[in-house]
Amino acid sequence: MKKNARLLYLLAVWTFFIFLSSTAKPLPTDDENPAATPPGITYVLSMPEPQTHYFEVEMQLKNVAATTSSKKNGYLDIKMPVWTPGSYLIREYAKNVEAFTATAAGKAVRSEKIRKNAWRVYTGDDNVTIRYRVYANELTVRTSFIDADHGYVTPAGMFMYHDALKTYPHRVVIQPYKNWKHVATGLEPVAGANFTYEAPDFDLLVDSPIEIGNHRTFGFTASGIPHTVVMFGDVEYDEKRLQADYKRVCEAAASVVGEHPCKHYTFIVHHIPTGGGGLEHLNSTTLETYRNAYSTEANYKGFLTLVAHEYFHLWNVKRIRPIALGPFDYENENYTHMLWLSEGCTSFYEDYILRRAGFHTPETYLNIVANDITGIENQPGVRVQSAAESSWDAWIKGYRPNENSNNTTISYYSKGSVLGTLLNLAILAGSNGERSMDDLMRFLYNEYYKKQKRGFTDDEFRKAAEQIAGRSLDDFFSIGVNSAEPINYNTYFEPVGLQLTNVAAKTQDGFLGVGISAAGGKSTVTSVRRGSAAYTDGLNVGDEILSVDSVRVGDDLLRLISNRQVGETLKVLVNRSGLLREIPVTLTPNPLASYRLTQLPNVTPEQKALYNKWLYIK
């Protein structure tokens, strides 16, 4: 009886396991279970015909259905950014996209463009591949470019995204043109995979330009961090001198905050026939400069100024930032009143860094400060637009100047640079030389970037500045930043024993007030200064000035009127839209100033000490 019962028990157990094996499903693989493998995007960037100025992009979306709700909706929306951080203009990158197609499970799926920068892909599949081409024939630091010599990628204008996947890893596999051997970027390389890079999220991908070709490189170490300089273009340079001077600039810039946040840093330098500029990124920058940038001392110093500006951005704006500047909305304008700080005070620091690095003498630096003031005070728009308004309107005015911009606007770069100098002086004076603008930068870096991991509001910045200065800065903010009223500069310079004076020659020469193009042997009006004789009496942009007091004018108008007196009336004959008009114009006094900083009489020891502190004189 006992033996039979045991046999019956074993038979029952065996029958139960057979039943389980026949009804249970096998464990899912990663491909069958989207949750098992995190979603991600891989871009394969190729360039089989660089002479046509086209990049080709394959965008592979893996395990995305559960995260993007495409199974529920039956579609995915894929977007192209409309602008790139650091360049505050809607650039409509989607205008360069063509041949957009999509496949899933090896089969073509329907897609359509639903907005200017968005495509809808009708699939609920976990794995989707999208292909498109990008026309790239504009070599600037804000746009992509490719030709038979090299390729340059501004990621915002090359790589599309899905909103729900922006925080997941993004990988880029680059397939260089057949004869190209080098790729340079701030992205992290993937170990064991040639020309393959990864970003932890879309924001960092957008912040990492890519240079592809046969460029030259050299390196140096600054602040213990390896730096790479990528040199594109047919240019002669002294590599050892550049290495040493880059290092001096970078270490002087790092001394402001006192901490370097990067593991490595990359300079991409394009040497071009005309133009110039730079664009900052989290651990890299792209610089454009003339091919003769190193041919004279003046050109060389100008280039180092550009280096200092873009390099200092890795602190100011990339980490020390207004709250509006990150995380970014890539489809719309991101407004802030504080570009005068992010860009303008970086312009202030570019020359201040060169001073502390020993490239500028104290006298040279004082001339730079005075010339900066001269520049903004000679622009009529300084009495129309405040620095805060200039920052806010960057999206519609800053990058779209017209013939009247000088009369109505002021650059947040140039006004902001002056404000940076004044804020530095205000903090030095308020703290009796114990603190400076550097201390404000350190506070913002530690409090908001490191501790709170966010940007700051306008009010938080003001409170921080007043805390560091140890006093109210009401005049600085209410007049200097938020109004177009005249600034009393000498209240800032007096504590360091200086005074600002206008040294423009007081002559009786009359002032017409026009900008002139002398192209083609003609004198054509390109701008008319507000309040000038030309403005009041009716000369227009586009007028071709044919004669003055019946004397024929070619391309030498300014010479012909150079000795005319204030109050003298000229009979100006113009060709306006094909019709001749004679316009009487009565010359006004020359309003242009030329400022210089000179020492006050009887400078006190306290003023002298503060002056030395300001200008790093030991």
Side-chain angles (χ1 to χ4, degrees):
M1 184 71 180
K2 189 173 182 180
K3 183 177 181 181
N4 288 337
R6 180 177 178 81
L7 287 172
L8 288 172
Y9 171 77
L10 291 173
L11 180 61
V13 171
W14 178 252
T15 302
F16 176 72
F17 275 108
I18 291 175
F19 171 77
L20 284 179
S21 65
S22 65
T23 58
K25 294 181 180 179
L27 291 174
T29 64
D30 286 348
D31 289 338
E32 295 169 322
N33 182 6
T37 301
I41 296 178
T42 295
Y43 306 91
V44 179
L45 183 70
S46 59
M47 52 218 75
E49 297 178 302
Q51 76 282 359
T52 67
H53 311 297
Y54 277 95
F55 284 101
E56 297 187 1
V57 183
E58 181 178 287
M59 180 183 183
Q60 302 168 358
L61 297 93
K62 300 292 185 182
N63 302 306
V64 298
T67 302
T68 63
S69 70
S70 62
K71 273 197 186 329
K72 175 183 175 182
N73 296 331
Y75 61 79
L76 288 165
D77 285 347
I78 306 300
K79 303 175 181 179
M80 176 73 86
V82 302
W83 71 290
T84 191
S87 182
Y88 307 100
L89 177 69
I90 299 299
R91 296 190 178 275
E92 310 294 19
Y93 291 122
K95 67 186 178 183
N96 295 317
V97 174
E98 62 183 71
F100 184 100
T101 62
T103 59
K107 297 180 180 179
V109 295
R110 184 166 71 92
S111 64
E112 63 176 329
K113 195 170 187 180
I114 58 172
R115 290 195 306 280
K116 65 178 183 178
N117 69 314
W119 288 258
R120 181 161 289 172
V121 179
Y122 291 93
T123 181
D125 203 275
D126 292 337
N127 302 316
V128 182
T129 298
I130 293 164
R131 295 179 178 87
Y132 56 92
R133 306 175 76 209
V134 176
Y135 183 70
N137 194 26
E138 185 181 1
L139 183 57
T140 74
V141 297
R142 304 165 293 273
T143 53
S144 297
F145 177 85
I146 188 168
D147 67 1
D149 294 326
H150 76 129
Y152 175 72
V153 174
T154 293
M158 189 63 59
F159 300 125
M160 297 189 187
Y161 68 94
H162 188 288
D163 281 322
L165 300 177
K166 288 198 304 184
T167 59
Y168 288 91
H170 288 61
R171 181 170 289 197
V172 179
V173 179
I174 298 173
Q175 297 177 346
Y177 181 59
K178 59 184 179 181
N179 295 321
W180 295 351
K181 298 179 175 61
H182 304 300
V183 173
T185 179
L187 290 168
E188 293 295 331
V190 174
N194 201 26
F195 299 141
T196 302
Y197 306 88
E198 192 163 67
D201 51 44
F202 186 72
D203 286 335
L204 200 136
L205 173 62
V206 167
D207 219 6
S208 304
I210 305 168
E211 175 71 19
I212 310 157
N214 292 318
H215 45 262
R216 291 175 285 177
T217 64
F218 63 85
F220 63 94
T221 299
S223 304
I225 306 299
H227 292 63
T228 300
V229 181
V230 177
M231 304 285 273
F232 169 77
D234 186 13
V235 61
E236 296 296 324
Y237 57 90
D238 183 335
E239 183 174 305
K240 289 186 177 179
R241 184 185 184 190
L242 275 175
Q243 282 178 315
D245 290 345
Y246 265 101
K247 180 181 176 70
R248 286 170 63 188
V249 170
C250 292
E251 291 190 338
S255 71
V256 174
V257 171
E259 176 179 300
H260 203 295
C262 301
K263 294 190 296 183
H264 52 80
Y265 192 90
T266 301
F267 292 93
I268 298 173
V269 189
H270 292 154
H271 299 88
I272 56 178
T274 60
L279 189 63
E280 69 276 3
H281 299 283
L282 197 68
N283 66 346
S284 64
T285 186
T286 302
L287 310 176
E288 285 192 347
T289 189
Y290 298 102
R291 290 172 183 155
N292 64 351
Y294 318 116
S295 61
T296 67
E297 281 302 305
N299 289 355
Y300 190 74
K301 291 281 183 65
F303 174 71
L304 292 182
T305 301
L306 176 62
V307 171
H309 182 104
E310 300 304 334
Y311 191 73
F312 190 66
H313 268 314
L314 76 87
W315 290 277
N316 192 29
V317 91
K318 299 314 299 183
R319 291 166 177 88
I320 301 168
R321 61 176 178 82
I323 202 163
L325 298 185
F328 295 110
D329 177 352
Y330 294 106
E331 292 193 90
N332 299 287
E333 295 88 343
N334 292 222
Y335 289 103
T336 175
H337 289 109
M338 299 190 71
L339 292 182
W340 69 266
L341 170 69
S342 298
E343 289 292 352
C345 286
T346 302
S347 293
F348 148 69
Y349 263 113
E350 69 188 32
D351 287 306
Y352 205 42
I353 286 167
L354 261 60
R355 167 61 204 130
R356 69 176 74 187
F359 291 102
H360 292 328
T361 65
E363 294 73 24
T364 298
Y365 182 72
L366 291 181
N367 285 336
I368 290 170
V369 170
N371 289 338
D372 286 347
I373 295 171
T374 298
I376 66 169
E377 290 298 326
N378 280 339
Q379 187 166 333
V382 76
R383 296 291 168 261
V384 178
Q385 186 184 54
S386 72
E389 290 169 334
S390 175
S391 301
W392 192 264
D393 280 346
W395 298 93
I396 59 172
K397 295 184 179 181
Y399 287 86
R400 291 189 174 111
N402 61 28
E403 69 279 358
N404 198 42
S405 293
N406 235 34
N407 290 329
T408 61
T409 66
I410 193 68
S411 166
Y412 51 78
Y413 283 91
S414 55
K415 179 73 176 285
S417 180
V418 170
L419 290 175
T421 297
L422 302 184
L423 183 55
N424 189 33
L425 288 167
I427 294 173
L428 280 164
S431 65
N432 294 318
E434 293 182 5
R435 293 180 295 278
S436 70
M437 187 76 166
D438 290 7
D439 294 276
L440 177 57
M441 292 288 104
R442 291 188 199 107
F443 175 84
L444 296 171
Y445 178 84
N446 289 314
E447 177 64 24
Y448 293 102
Y449 169 66
K450 294 186 70 177
K451 182 179 177 182
Q452 300 193 40
K453 303 186 185 307
R454 66 174 177 89
F456 42 80
T457 67
D458 295 20
D459 287 343
E460 286 170 335
F461 174 78
R462 176 170 178 164
K463 289 176 182 177
E466 291 182 332
Q467 176 183 326
I468 297 299
R471 65 182 180 90
S472 169
L473 296 173
D474 185 64
D475 280 353
F476 175 81
F477 285 100
S478 62
I479 296 176
V481 174
N482 296 314
S483 86
E485 298 176 35
I487 296 171
N488 185 348
Y489 292 105
N490 281 323
T491 61
Y492 296 91
F493 290 114
E494 187 274 335
V496 292
L498 296 176
Q499 61 182 349
L500 185 75
T501 56
N502 179 9
V503 297
K506 300 296 182 181
T507 69
Q508 296 303 308
D509 286 357
F511 184 75
L512 181 59
V514 294
I516 291 293
S517 166
K522 302 176 181 179
S523 288
T524 304
V525 178
T526 56
S527 63
V528 180
R529 180 186 175 90
R530 174 172 285 178
S532 68
Y535 188 91
T536 301
D537 292 333
L539 289 181
N540 288 353
V541 169
D543 285 349
E544 178 193 351
I545 299 180
L546 301 174
S547 68
V548 174
D549 291 341
S550 300
V551 177
R552 180 75 173 92
V553 173
D555 57 3
D556 57 350
L557 169 69
L558 299 182
R559 181 182 63 80
L560 287 177
I561 66 171
S562 62
N563 295 318
R564 301 301 183 102
Q565 300 299 302
V566 173
E568 188 174 346
T569 299
L570 312 179
K571 294 179 181 179
V572 181
L573 181 67
V574 304
N575 169 12
R576 180 177 295 172
S577 301
L579 300 176
L580 298 182
R581 297 191 181 196
E582 186 173 83
I583 301 172
V585 180
T586 302
L587 298 180
T588 55
N590 190 334
L592 300 180
S594 178
Y595 288 101
R596 289 293 177 267
L597 284 166
T598 57
Q599 193 177 72
L600 286 168
N602 304 316
V603 172
T604 67
E606 291 77 16
Q607 288 172 316
K608 183 65 174 177
L610 207 59
Y611 176 89
N612 290 343
K613 178 90 172 180
W614 176 39
L615 296 183
Y616 293 91
I617 299 173
K618 296 181 179 179

